[in-house]
Structure formats: C-alpha cells, structure tokens
Amino acid sequence: MANVTVIGAQWGDEGKGKLVDWLSNRADVVVRFQGGHNAGHTLVVGNEVYKLSLLPSGVVQGKLSVIGNGVVVDPWHLLEEIAKIGAQGVQVTPDLLILADNACLILPLHKDLDQAREATAVKKIGTTGRGIGPAYEDKVGRRAIRVADLADREALEAKIDRLLAHHTPLRRGLGLPEIDAAAMLAELEAVAPQILAFAKPAWLHLNEVVRAGRRVLFEGAQGALLDVDHGTYPYVTSSNTVAGQAAAGSGLGAKATGYVLGIVKAYTTRVGEGPFPTELDDAVGQHLGTVGKEFGTVTGRARRCGWFDAALVRQSVALNGIAGIALTKLDVLDGLETLKICTGYRLDGQDYAYLPAGLKAQSQLEPVYEEMDGWRESTQGARSWRELPASAVKYVRRIEELIGAPVALLSTSPQRDDTIMMRDPFAD
Ligand code: GDP
Ligand code: IMO
Ligand code: MG
C-alpha cells in the first residue's frame, strides 16, 4: 500500500507539519481532509519559517495539494495564506492547489458566533475563535454554503436566506448586529472568482491519482484526543480527526488511508481548556514550555505541558489504526535528570488502562507513573540513531513497548532535515 496518513496522536501540535513537509517529497499529492484554519503547522527550512493553517504542508515542496471536502474553508483566509506564502517564494497556483468544490465555507458570521459564545460562556472551550464549530454545525444542519455555490447566483441567494433564517435569531439573542443578505451576497461574489479558480471535483482527481498507482499523503489537523467522538468531549474540536476520516474527508474509499503514521510528541501538550491528567504546574512544566517553545501558532497562547502519557497514546494507536509513529521533540527532554511516563490512571481505587469517557472521571483521574533516567547529552539535531545517548534509546524503546507501536521516524529539531528514518512508511 503506497499511501500514508499522518495524524496527531495527542492534543495537536505534535509536529505534523514538519513531518508532512519531510515526507511529501516521497508523495505525489498531499491532502487535508478535516479541520480548517484552526490548525497551525510550522515548517522550518534553513532560515525560512512557514506557518500554514489551511494549505497542505506539501505546497512548500511544490507538491500537488488538495483541500478536501471534509475541510471547512474560510475563503478570505485562504487567499491571505496564499498571498503570505507567495511572499516567501512559494507560488500557489491552480496547477498546484485543488479545492474541493463540495467543501463548506466558514463565513464571518461563524467567527462572530464562535467568539460571542466563548465570551459569554460560563465554562469556555478555549477555541481558536475562527468559526470552526459553527461552520461544522451549519454543515450537518444542511444550511452551509459550499464552494460550488459561489458559481451559482440563484443558489447562493437561496442559501443565504436559509442560513440567515437560522443565524438572525441567534445573533439577536447574543446582541450581535443583524446581517444584511444583499451585503453578504456582494461580499461572496467579490471573492468568488479567485476561489473558483481552485475549485474542482477533488474526489474525482484523487480517485484518478489512486487508480494510476500514485502516492497520496494525507495530512491530519489537530489530534485524536480533540476528535469530536473520541476526544475529551466537549473540550474537542468539531471534526473527526482520526485517520478513518481521511477517506470520507477526501472522497476516497476506506482502504486509501494506507499506512497510518501517528505523530507523537515525546511529552504532552494541550492548548485550550479540558482534562489533562499528566499536566505539570511546576518548574518542569515551565521548562518544557520554554525549551519546547510551546506557544500556539494560531493564537499565540501558551500551551499547557506535562509528562508523556502512554495510556493516552495507546488509546490513540487503537482509535487510528496507527502502524508506526514519528516521535518528535525528544531534544526538549535533554538535561532532565528524571523522566516520568504515565502508564495508566487511578480513580476511586480503580485502575484504568484507558481514558474513561465521562468528563468528571477524565478531570479527576490520577496518573500512575513509572520513572526513568534522563540524559545529560544533547540529542538536538541528531541525524542517526547511533548519536543518541543510551538513556534516550531506552526511553524511546519503553514508549514503543507501552503504546504498542514502533517508532518509524524520530525528529530532533524543528529543521526539516533533522529527522531520522528507521522505516519508510511509504514502503510498508
Ligand atoms: P503541528 O500542528 O502538529 O504541525 O505542530 P506545530 O507546528 O503547531 O507545533 C510543533 C512545533 O514544534 C513547531 O514549532 C515545530 O517547528 C517544532 N518542532 C517540530 N519537531 C520538533 C523537534 O523534533 N524538536 C523541536 N525542538 N521542535 C520541533
Ligand atoms: P494543529 O493542527 C492544538 C483546540 C483549541 C480548542 C479546541 C477547539 O495545529 O495540531 P476550535 O477552534 O477547533 O473549535 O477549538 O481545539 N485546537 C487545537 N489545539 N492544535 C490544533 O491544531 C488545534 N486546533 C484546535 O485550542 O481547545
Ligand atoms: Mg499546530
């Protein structure tokens, strides 16, 4: 099987962008299949830093890139991102980018609703405020405006009316100003030609690519514990982030997923609210945040940091069908005397080898730890397994044992080429 699906195996920001960029020179096409511009994927190539939220990370290597039907697309953001990366020397033309014509749009009213809810909520989710949740609500509520509607004025007018019939009372309740249908139509028509230049039946192109035996690299956003079904609900994002979504979110059959590569940080982080059993509120947590530069790409918020949670990643291996992992940011652990790994949880005298579904249970779990020796040497920028100190090798091997999946790739710095490959996911 030639295809590879990259997904985040924790709460996002595991280093998916770096790995997708690195792997994309082995692929023919790179596809985003869920999420929106809530994602922030950072690629570092020499002195150049690329921050992508909506564009697949294959664009930097000049790979054909697809934004699939499962993605929610803010058309203005898309054009801004194309312009920004263009200024960095990466020209994104319709030859390079395909936008699924059946993808749903994120509109300013979605952003308004997202932000108003967060501002008034007693218990915030800590969203990125970019309208992701409300846009997916309208998608399943069958009132979303899709890319193809931009080419059909009559359909667009009818859809705007339908959408506003839902949003007007909602906005009134939140004290937001009313939206004028004609103004909204004009705004969409103004952006339509530039967006439609990229619009195609992505499913058809991808099926042709697969039938021709070419290689597809799927790029997940967020992480398995932010999945709307399997994550720490309601502190999740509004899409399915697990590997199974790669097929549905791009218009390919279930088998297309191929080798599932879970991206796993050598410790744990989370941005936004919600349960986090191994979170550290102490100097070690601060150390991880500082050394790991754990600040959100999209919102600039400080990420919460904690020890590696093997129970969580073991669950992720099962939920995604992970065949192997890419372990990232091992270098951030350099110099720590002792490392802790969470192997399971305890709650009310009972042991759990997995994260139970109840919110109350999730927030009260006590992690069960085992301790390992750290290492004094630097692993930063290591490009071969032999360069790693013995304790680092032991730490990696123990992680493999506990999560039940092998390490296929190891990342030792933000730089593209500071990546060690033990096995080629495309060859498996
Ligand atoms: P993504 O959302 O999964 O693509 O991850 P982000 O890009 O949001 O966050 C990962 C951050 O860690 C980025 O700033 C990367 O440049 C950086 N990074 C990736 N891999 C490594 C690594 O192995 N070591 C270190 N120190 N930084 C890394
Ligand atoms: P990448 O692809 C980390 C989090 C938000 C919030 C929750 C819901 O860079 O790994 P949303 O705006 O999606 O409704 O917010 O999900 N979140 C992420 N956390 N990485 C991401 O993406 C995220 N995308 C959303 O912080 O807790
Ligand atoms: Mg990110």
Side-chain angles (χ1 to χ4, degrees):
M1 173 54 78
N3 299 342
V4 173
T5 298
V6 164
I7 51 93
Q10 293 152 316
W11 276 294
D13 303 324
E14 299 89 349
K16 297 175 291 294
K18 169 180 166 166
L19 268 300
V20 169
D21 168 63
W22 191 84
L23 285 166
S24 67
N25 72 358
R26 292 160 191 267
D28 296 300
V29 47
V30 182
V31 186
R32 274 283 304 272
F33 56 87
Q34 49 70 232
H37 64 313
N38 49 347
H41 298 173
T42 312
L43 287 55
V44 184
V45 187
N47 291 328
E48 204 68 48
V49 179
Y50 304 95
K51 290 181 190 285
L52 302 172
S53 288
L54 198 48
L55 291 169
S57 297
V59 287
V60 174
Q61 300 244 34
K63 285 292 159 178
L64 177 64
S65 295
V66 176
I67 298 178
N69 55 278
V71 176
V72 281
V73 181
D74 178 325
W76 299 277
H77 175 89
L78 178 60
L79 297 177
E80 262 171 42
E81 200 169 307
I82 290 172
K84 196 171 145 219
I85 198 158
Q88 289 186 280
V90 179
Q91 301 311 324
V92 179
T93 61
D95 287 337
L96 188 67
L97 178 70
I98 294 176
L99 171 62
D101 55 6
N102 53 349
C104 293
L105 299 184
I106 302 183
L107 303 171
L109 52 74
H110 295 124
K111 195 163 123 185
D112 291 347
L113 191 54
D114 191 356
Q115 294 179 356
R117 281 179 180 157
E118 286 286 282
T120 53
V122 179
K123 267 198 159 299
K124 297 182 202 313
I125 302 289
T127 70
T128 58
R130 293 190 153 186
I132 308 299
Y136 275 117
E137 286 169 35
D138 282 347
K139 174 178 174 171
V140 294
R142 295 168 294 194
R143 56 180 170 264
I145 294 174
R146 308 205 299 179
V147 170
D149 297 329
L150 295 175
D152 179 349
R153 184 172 189 157
E154 225 173 285
L156 197 53
E157 276 176 339
K159 286 218 168 176
I160 289 174
D161 286 345
R162 189 176 163 81
L163 190 65
L164 290 183
H166 177 79
H167 278 270
T168 302
L170 265 179
R171 292 176 70 88
R172 264 188 216 134
L174 287 161
L176 293 169
E178 206 146 312
I179 287 177
D180 176 54
M184 190 168 160
L185 179 67
E187 271 184 87
L188 286 169
E189 287 198 316
V191 85
Q194 280 169 283
I195 294 296
L196 288 170
F198 298 100
K200 286 193 186 123
W203 65 272
L204 189 59
H205 283 261
L206 286 170
N207 272 272
E208 280 164 7
V209 165
V210 168
R211 215 168 305 128
R214 312 196 75 190
R215 294 166 155 188
V216 184
L217 174 57
F218 295 97
E219 177 178 13
Q222 291 83 50
L225 274 302
L226 287 170
D227 182 281
V228 68
D229 286 290
H230 298 290
T232 44
Y233 191 91
Y235 298 98
V236 292
T237 191
S238 293
S239 64
N240 282 112
T241 60
V242 290
Q245 175 63 18
S250 59
L252 284 162
K255 274 191 190 162
T257 315
Y259 182 103
V260 178
L261 180 71
I263 313 301
V264 177
K265 206 178 270 191
Y267 48 100
T268 314
T269 63
R270 159 159 221 176
V271 57
E273 304 302 314
F276 181 175
T278 63
E279 182 170 13
L280 292 167
D281 289 322
D282 59 7
V284 178
Q286 270 172 16
H287 175 85
L288 294 174
T290 309
V291 179
K293 300 194 172 67
E294 296 295 354
F295 294 92
T297 316
V298 171
T299 57
R301 290 177 290 178
R303 296 176 184 147
R304 300 152 66 192
C305 298
W307 292 120
F308 185 78
D309 188 339
L312 204 75
V313 178
R314 188 164 59 230
Q315 189 158 336
S316 213
V317 167
L319 293 169
N320 290 284
I322 288 173
I325 68 163
L327 190 67
T328 62
K329 304 191 95 161
L330 187 69
D331 54 296
V332 175
L333 302 178
D334 291 353
L336 288 172
E337 208 161 303
T338 315
L339 303 172
K340 287 189 188 181
I341 300 182
C342 169
T343 56
Y345 315 105
R346 200 162 288 145
L347 178 68
D348 298 332
Q350 202 183 324
D351 287 329
Y352 289 88
Y354 63 93
L355 201 68
L359 178 61
K360 190 154 166 251
Q362 286 180 355
S363 56
Q364 291 176 356
L365 293 170
E366 255 183 65
V368 176
Y369 286 118
E370 63 179 41
E371 284 193 7
M372 297 192 73
D373 288 339
W375 52 92
R376 284 183 194 289
E377 302 88 333
S378 167
T379 64
Q380 202 193 357
R383 292 204 183 168
S384 82
W385 188 249
R386 288 186 312 276
E387 288 174 51
L388 301 180
S391 299
V393 170
K394 239 173 132 181
Y395 182 72
V396 175
R397 293 296 180 221
R398 185 62 184 143
I399 285 177
E400 289 180 317
E401 249 169 39
L402 287 168
I403 67 169
V407 171
L409 294 138
L410 194 71
S411 165
T412 57
S413 102
Q415 284 288 347
R416 178 190 277 165
D417 291 327
D418 290 339
T419 306
I420 303 171
M421 184 163 71
M422 259 78 84
R423 54 213 285 178
D424 181 355
F426 282 108
D428 259 323

mmCIF file of all heavy atoms in Angstrom, residues 11-14 16 38-41 114 125-133 220-223 226 235-238 270-273 297-298 301, ligand 2:
data_model
loop_
_atom_site.group_PDB
_atom_site.id
_atom_site.type_symbol
_atom_site.label_atom_id
_atom_site.label_comp_id
_atom_site.label_asym_id
_atom_site.label_seq_id
_atom_site.Cartn_x
_atom_site.Cartn_y
_atom_site.Cartn_z
ATOM 1 N N TRP A 11 -3.025 15.894 21.651
ATOM 2 C CA TRP A 11 -3.973 17.016 21.574
ATOM 3 C C TRP A 11 -3.545 18.046 20.540
ATOM 4 O O TRP A 11 -3.799 19.253 20.708
ATOM 5 C CB TRP A 11 -4.109 17.684 22.951
ATOM 6 C CG TRP A 11 -5.089 17.019 23.855
ATOM 7 C CD1 TRP A 11 -6.443 16.930 23.677
ATOM 8 C CD2 TRP A 11 -4.815 16.358 25.096
ATOM 9 N NE1 TRP A 11 -7.010 16.257 24.727
ATOM 10 C CE2 TRP A 11 -6.045 15.905 25.616
ATOM 11 C CE3 TRP A 11 -3.629 16.114 25.830
ATOM 12 C CZ2 TRP A 11 -6.137 15.214 26.825
ATOM 13 C CZ3 TRP A 11 -3.735 15.425 27.019
ATOM 14 C CH2 TRP A 11 -4.972 14.983 27.507
ATOM 15 N N GLY A 12 -2.884 17.639 19.488
ATOM 16 C CA GLY A 12 -2.464 18.570 18.453
ATOM 17 C C GLY A 12 -1.067 19.114 18.703
ATOM 18 O O GLY A 12 -0.472 18.883 19.761
ATOM 19 N N ASP A 13 -0.522 19.787 17.694
ATOM 20 C CA ASP A 13 0.794 20.423 17.770
ATOM 21 C C ASP A 13 1.919 19.431 18.036
ATOM 22 O O ASP A 13 2.914 19.753 18.695
ATOM 23 C CB ASP A 13 0.805 21.534 18.839
ATOM 24 C CG ASP A 13 -0.255 22.577 18.565
ATOM 25 O OD1 ASP A 13 -0.497 22.863 17.373
ATOM 26 O OD2 ASP A 13 -0.846 23.100 19.535
ATOM 27 N N GLU A 14 1.787 18.241 17.509
ATOM 28 C CA GLU A 14 2.795 17.198 17.718
ATOM 29 C C GLU A 14 3.973 17.348 16.762
ATOM 30 O O GLU A 14 5.013 16.700 16.950
ATOM 31 C CB GLU A 14 2.176 15.796 17.506
ATOM 32 C CG GLU A 14 1.036 15.427 18.455
ATOM 33 C CD GLU A 14 -0.335 15.847 17.921
ATOM 34 O OE1 GLU A 14 -0.387 16.611 16.927
ATOM 35 O OE2 GLU A 14 -1.338 15.425 18.506
ATOM 36 N N LYS A 16 3.071 17.678 13.124
ATOM 37 C CA LYS A 16 2.552 17.084 11.881
ATOM 38 C C LYS A 16 3.099 17.804 10.657
ATOM 39 O O LYS A 16 3.506 17.178 9.683
ATOM 40 C CB LYS A 16 1.011 17.161 11.863
ATOM 41 C CG LYS A 16 0.363 16.357 12.979
ATOM 42 C CD LYS A 16 -1.142 16.544 13.006
ATOM 43 C CE LYS A 16 -1.581 17.921 13.438
ATOM 44 N NZ LYS A 16 -1.269 18.266 14.826
ATOM 45 N N ASN A 38 -8.078 26.527 12.040
ATOM 46 C CA ASN A 38 -7.741 26.368 13.464
ATOM 47 C C ASN A 38 -6.369 25.693 13.601
ATOM 48 O O ASN A 38 -5.708 25.827 14.620
ATOM 49 C CB ASN A 38 -8.822 25.573 14.211
ATOM 50 C CG ASN A 38 -9.226 24.276 13.523
ATOM 51 O OD1 ASN A 38 -8.878 24.065 12.365
ATOM 52 N ND2 ASN A 38 -9.952 23.433 14.221
ATOM 53 N N ALA A 39 -5.963 24.950 12.582
ATOM 54 C CA ALA A 39 -4.661 24.278 12.587
ATOM 55 C C ALA A 39 -3.541 25.300 12.416
ATOM 56 O O ALA A 39 -3.733 26.354 11.819
ATOM 57 C CB ALA A 39 -4.601 23.266 11.444
ATOM 58 N N GLY A 40 -2.376 24.970 12.985
ATOM 59 C CA GLY A 40 -1.195 25.796 12.761
ATOM 60 C C GLY A 40 -0.020 24.858 12.604
ATOM 61 O O GLY A 40 0.382 24.205 13.560
ATOM 62 N N HIS A 41 0.471 24.733 11.384
ATOM 63 C CA HIS A 41 1.541 23.773 11.096
ATOM 64 C C HIS A 41 2.801 24.542 10.728
ATOM 65 O O HIS A 41 2.799 25.325 9.786
ATOM 66 C CB HIS A 41 1.103 22.828 9.974
ATOM 67 C CG HIS A 41 -0.109 22.006 10.333
ATOM 68 N ND1 HIS A 41 -0.761 21.206 9.440
ATOM 69 C CD2 HIS A 41 -0.757 21.866 11.511
ATOM 70 C CE1 HIS A 41 -1.780 20.617 10.048
ATOM 71 N NE2 HIS A 41 -1.799 21.006 11.305
ATOM 72 N N ASP A 114 -18.731 31.981 17.197
ATOM 73 C CA ASP A 114 -17.681 31.288 17.968
ATOM 74 C C ASP A 114 -17.159 32.215 19.080
ATOM 75 O O ASP A 114 -17.133 31.861 20.260
ATOM 76 C CB ASP A 114 -16.548 30.911 16.988
ATOM 77 C CG ASP A 114 -15.515 29.956 17.570
ATOM 78 O OD1 ASP A 114 -15.620 29.621 18.765
ATOM 79 O OD2 ASP A 114 -14.590 29.551 16.830
ATOM 80 N N ILE A 125 -14.570 26.710 26.085
ATOM 81 C CA ILE A 125 -13.871 25.570 25.474
ATOM 82 C C ILE A 125 -12.412 25.977 25.233
ATOM 83 O O ILE A 125 -11.513 25.153 25.246
ATOM 84 C CB ILE A 125 -14.525 25.192 24.112
ATOM 85 C CG1 ILE A 125 -16.015 24.836 24.268
ATOM 86 C CG2 ILE A 125 -13.762 24.074 23.407
ATOM 87 C CD1 ILE A 125 -16.324 23.536 24.944
ATOM 88 N N GLY A 126 -12.230 27.271 25.015
ATOM 89 C CA GLY A 126 -10.882 27.730 24.644
ATOM 90 C C GLY A 126 -10.628 27.510 23.171
ATOM 91 O O GLY A 126 -9.546 27.070 22.775
ATOM 92 N N THR A 127 -11.622 27.806 22.328
ATOM 93 C CA THR A 127 -11.468 27.579 20.881
ATOM 94 C C THR A 127 -10.463 28.576 20.285
ATOM 95 O O THR A 127 -10.057 29.530 20.955
ATOM 96 C CB THR A 127 -12.805 27.772 20.120
ATOM 97 O OG1 THR A 127 -13.142 29.168 20.123
ATOM 98 C CG2 THR A 127 -13.938 26.962 20.743
ATOM 99 N N THR A 128 -10.147 28.376 19.030
ATOM 100 C CA THR A 128 -9.260 29.308 18.338
ATOM 101 C C THR A 128 -10.041 30.547 17.879
ATOM 102 O O THR A 128 -9.444 31.481 17.344
ATOM 103 C CB THR A 128 -8.603 28.636 17.108
ATOM 104 O OG1 THR A 128 -9.651 28.186 16.242
ATOM 105 C CG2 THR A 128 -7.741 27.456 17.511
ATOM 106 N N GLY A 129 -11.354 30.533 18.033
ATOM 107 C CA GLY A 129 -12.172 31.696 17.694
ATOM 108 C C GLY A 129 -12.285 31.943 16.198
ATOM 109 O O GLY A 129 -12.600 33.047 15.773
ATOM 110 N N ARG A 130 -12.046 30.925 15.403
ATOM 111 C CA ARG A 130 -12.032 31.132 13.953
ATOM 112 C C ARG A 130 -13.302 30.629 13.244
ATOM 113 O O ARG A 130 -13.343 30.538 12.022
ATOM 114 C CB ARG A 130 -10.776 30.496 13.363
ATOM 115 C CG ARG A 130 -9.536 31.250 13.832
ATOM 116 C CD ARG A 130 -8.289 30.834 13.109
ATOM 117 N NE ARG A 130 -7.336 31.932 13.094
ATOM 118 C CZ ARG A 130 -6.186 31.912 12.441
ATOM 119 N NH1 ARG A 130 -5.834 30.847 11.743
ATOM 120 N NH2 ARG A 130 -5.370 32.946 12.457
ATOM 121 N N GLY A 131 -14.287 30.258 14.039
ATOM 122 C CA GLY A 131 -15.580 29.889 13.446
ATOM 123 C C GLY A 131 -15.722 28.427 13.068
ATOM 124 O O GLY A 131 -16.673 28.052 12.366
ATOM 125 N N ILE A 132 -14.777 27.608 13.488
ATOM 126 C CA ILE A 132 -14.778 26.200 13.073
ATOM 127 C C ILE A 132 -16.048 25.468 13.527
ATOM 128 O O ILE A 132 -16.727 24.837 12.711
ATOM 129 C CB ILE A 132 -13.528 25.474 13.659
ATOM 130 C CG1 ILE A 132 -12.234 26.233 13.339
ATOM 131 C CG2 ILE A 132 -13.484 24.017 13.204
ATOM 132 C CD1 ILE A 132 -11.895 26.414 11.896
ATOM 133 N N GLY A 133 -16.370 25.553 14.823
ATOM 134 C CA GLY A 133 -17.530 24.826 15.360
ATOM 135 C C GLY A 133 -18.826 25.244 14.675
ATOM 136 O O GLY A 133 -19.541 24.399 14.116
ATOM 137 N N GLY A 220 -3.439 15.142 8.531
ATOM 138 C CA GLY A 220 -4.442 15.432 9.554
ATOM 139 C C GLY A 220 -4.136 16.752 10.239
ATOM 140 O O GLY A 220 -2.998 17.217 10.272
ATOM 141 N N ALA A 221 -5.183 17.345 10.797
ATOM 142 C CA ALA A 221 -5.020 18.518 11.660
ATOM 143 C C ALA A 221 -5.517 18.126 13.053
ATOM 144 O O ALA A 221 -6.188 17.113 13.215
ATOM 145 C CB ALA A 221 -5.821 19.682 11.118
ATOM 146 N N GLN A 222 -5.139 18.924 14.053
ATOM 147 C CA GLN A 222 -5.480 18.646 15.459
ATOM 148 C C GLN A 222 -4.915 17.282 15.891
ATOM 149 O O GLN A 222 -3.887 16.883 15.378
ATOM 150 C CB GLN A 222 -7.004 18.736 15.675
ATOM 151 C CG GLN A 222 -7.583 20.140 15.567
ATOM 152 C CD GLN A 222 -7.875 20.590 14.155
ATOM 153 O OE1 GLN A 222 -8.514 19.891 13.398
ATOM 154 N NE2 GLN A 222 -7.417 21.758 13.791
ATOM 155 N N GLY A 223 -5.624 16.609 16.793
ATOM 156 C CA GLY A 223 -5.105 15.327 17.279
ATOM 157 C C GLY A 223 -6.259 14.454 17.734
ATOM 158 O O GLY A 223 -7.382 14.934 17.904
ATOM 159 N N LEU A 226 -8.658 15.386 20.380
ATOM 160 C CA LEU A 226 -9.536 16.519 20.068
ATOM 161 C C LEU A 226 -10.649 16.076 19.121
ATOM 162 O O LEU A 226 -11.458 16.903 18.672
ATOM 163 C CB LEU A 226 -8.736 17.667 19.437
ATOM 164 C CG LEU A 226 -7.813 18.466 20.361
ATOM 165 C CD1 LEU A 226 -6.908 19.399 19.549
ATOM 166 C CD2 LEU A 226 -8.612 19.284 21.377
ATOM 167 N N TYR A 235 -14.520 19.268 25.303
ATOM 168 C CA TYR A 235 -13.289 20.057 25.073
ATOM 169 C C TYR A 235 -12.535 19.478 23.882
ATOM 170 O O TYR A 235 -11.450 18.896 24.024
ATOM 171 C CB TYR A 235 -12.441 20.084 26.341
ATOM 172 C CG TYR A 235 -13.179 20.766 27.475
ATOM 173 C CD1 TYR A 235 -13.847 20.018 28.439
ATOM 174 C CD2 TYR A 235 -13.255 22.147 27.549
ATOM 175 C CE1 TYR A 235 -14.574 20.636 29.451
ATOM 176 C CE2 TYR A 235 -13.972 22.780 28.548
ATOM 177 C CZ TYR A 235 -14.621 22.022 29.493
ATOM 178 O OH TYR A 235 -15.345 22.648 30.477
ATOM 179 N N VAL A 236 -13.152 19.594 22.725
ATOM 180 C CA VAL A 236 -12.631 18.999 21.492
ATOM 181 C C VAL A 236 -12.834 20.001 20.369
ATOM 182 O O VAL A 236 -13.435 21.062 20.568
ATOM 183 C CB VAL A 236 -13.398 17.690 21.161
ATOM 184 C CG1 VAL A 236 -13.102 16.603 22.183
ATOM 185 C CG2 VAL A 236 -14.908 17.934 21.069
ATOM 186 N N THR A 237 -12.409 19.652 19.172
ATOM 187 C CA THR A 237 -12.747 20.453 18.009
ATOM 188 C C THR A 237 -14.007 19.847 17.393
ATOM 189 O O THR A 237 -14.531 18.847 17.917
ATOM 190 C CB THR A 237 -11.564 20.538 17.021
ATOM 191 O OG1 THR A 237 -11.865 21.535 16.032
ATOM 192 C CG2 THR A 237 -11.271 19.201 16.341
ATOM 193 N N SER A 238 -14.509 20.422 16.308
ATOM 194 C CA SER A 238 -15.815 19.976 15.815
ATOM 195 C C SER A 238 -15.732 19.024 14.621
ATOM 196 O O SER A 238 -16.709 18.855 13.903
ATOM 197 C CB SER A 238 -16.669 21.192 15.468
ATOM 198 O OG SER A 238 -16.973 21.897 16.651
ATOM 199 N N ARG A 270 -1.185 20.592 25.531
ATOM 200 C CA ARG A 270 -2.582 20.862 25.161
ATOM 201 C C ARG A 270 -2.773 22.374 25.190
ATOM 202 O O ARG A 270 -2.256 23.041 26.095
ATOM 203 C CB ARG A 270 -3.478 20.135 26.158
ATOM 204 C CG ARG A 270 -4.860 20.638 26.273
ATOM 205 C CD ARG A 270 -5.863 19.659 26.858
ATOM 206 N NE ARG A 270 -7.040 19.835 26.042
ATOM 207 C CZ ARG A 270 -8.160 19.161 26.107
ATOM 208 N NH1 ARG A 270 -8.266 18.175 26.982
ATOM 209 N NH2 ARG A 270 -9.168 19.406 25.314
ATOM 210 N N VAL A 271 -3.519 22.907 24.233
ATOM 211 C CA VAL A 271 -3.825 24.333 24.257
ATOM 212 C C VAL A 271 -5.340 24.470 24.302
ATOM 213 O O VAL A 271 -6.056 23.759 23.628
ATOM 214 C CB VAL A 271 -3.146 25.091 23.075
ATOM 215 C CG1 VAL A 271 -3.538 24.536 21.728
ATOM 216 C CG2 VAL A 271 -3.432 26.572 23.109
ATOM 217 N N GLY A 272 -5.837 25.343 25.159
ATOM 218 C CA GLY A 272 -7.274 25.425 25.381
ATOM 219 C C GLY A 272 -7.638 24.681 26.655
ATOM 220 O O GLY A 272 -6.763 24.143 27.338
ATOM 221 N N GLU A 273 -8.958 24.667 26.955
ATOM 222 C CA GLU A 273 -9.406 24.067 28.213
ATOM 223 C C GLU A 273 -9.569 22.561 28.068
ATOM 224 O O GLU A 273 -9.491 22.024 26.981
ATOM 225 C CB GLU A 273 -10.746 24.697 28.620
ATOM 226 C CG GLU A 273 -10.726 26.212 28.733
ATOM 227 C CD GLU A 273 -9.688 26.698 29.729
ATOM 228 O OE1 GLU A 273 -9.626 26.124 30.838
ATOM 229 O OE2 GLU A 273 -8.938 27.641 29.413
ATOM 230 N N THR A 297 0.584 28.374 17.434
ATOM 231 C CA THR A 297 0.882 29.030 16.153
ATOM 232 C C THR A 297 -0.254 29.968 15.760
ATOM 233 O O THR A 297 -0.029 31.032 15.193
ATOM 234 C CB THR A 297 1.030 27.951 15.048
ATOM 235 O OG1 THR A 297 1.814 26.891 15.569
ATOM 236 C CG2 THR A 297 1.661 28.487 13.798
ATOM 237 N N VAL A 298 -1.491 29.586 16.068
ATOM 238 C CA VAL A 298 -2.657 30.339 15.603
ATOM 239 C C VAL A 298 -2.990 31.482 16.554
ATOM 240 O O VAL A 298 -3.228 32.602 16.130
ATOM 241 C CB VAL A 298 -3.869 29.387 15.443
ATOM 242 C CG1 VAL A 298 -5.151 30.166 15.176
ATOM 243 C CG2 VAL A 298 -3.614 28.388 14.321
ATOM 244 N N ARG A 301 -1.281 31.509 22.288
ATOM 245 C CA ARG A 301 -1.475 31.122 23.691
ATOM 246 C C ARG A 301 -0.380 30.158 24.133
ATOM 247 O O ARG A 301 0.098 29.339 23.346
ATOM 248 C CB ARG A 301 -2.821 30.399 23.862
ATOM 249 C CG ARG A 301 -4.027 31.283 23.697
ATOM 250 C CD ARG A 301 -5.305 30.476 23.808
ATOM 251 N NE ARG A 301 -5.501 29.597 22.670
ATOM 252 C CZ ARG A 301 -6.523 28.751 22.540
ATOM 253 N NH1 ARG A 301 -7.432 28.659 23.494
ATOM 254 N NH2 ARG A 301 -6.647 27.994 21.470
HETATM 255 P P1 IMO B 2 -2.930 21.594 14.899
HETATM 256 O O1 IMO B 2 -3.365 21.059 13.545
HETATM 257 C C1 IMO B 2 -3.908 22.234 19.082
HETATM 258 C C2 IMO B 2 -8.071 23.188 20.047
HETATM 259 C C3 IMO B 2 -8.366 24.569 20.552
HETATM 260 C C4 IMO B 2 -9.521 24.253 21.498
HETATM 261 C C5 IMO B 2 -10.272 23.172 20.741
HETATM 262 C C6 IMO B 2 -11.468 23.682 19.959
HETATM 263 O O2 IMO B 2 -2.026 22.763 14.826
HETATM 264 O O3 IMO B 2 -2.425 20.490 15.762
HETATM 265 P P2 IMO B 2 -11.663 25.001 17.653
HETATM 266 O O4 IMO B 2 -11.190 26.354 17.276
HETATM 267 O O5 IMO B 2 -11.136 23.900 16.812
HETATM 268 O O6 IMO B 2 -13.164 24.916 17.791
HETATM 269 O O7 IMO B 2 -11.087 24.790 19.170
HETATM 270 O O8 IMO B 2 -9.341 22.579 19.870
HETATM 271 N N1 IMO B 2 -7.362 23.132 18.744
HETATM 272 C C7 IMO B 2 -6.079 22.808 18.612
HETATM 273 N N2 IMO B 2 -5.130 22.543 19.548
HETATM 274 N N3 IMO B 2 -3.605 22.146 17.772
HETATM 275 C C8 IMO B 2 -4.536 22.385 16.828
HETATM 276 O O9 IMO B 2 -4.299 22.185 15.518
HETATM 277 C C9 IMO B 2 -5.834 22.769 17.221
HETATM 278 N N4 IMO B 2 -6.962 23.105 16.580
HETATM 279 C C10 IMO B 2 -7.893 23.312 17.514
HETATM 280 O O10 IMO B 2 -7.273 25.128 21.221
HETATM 281 O O11 IMO B 2 -9.016 23.669 22.674
#
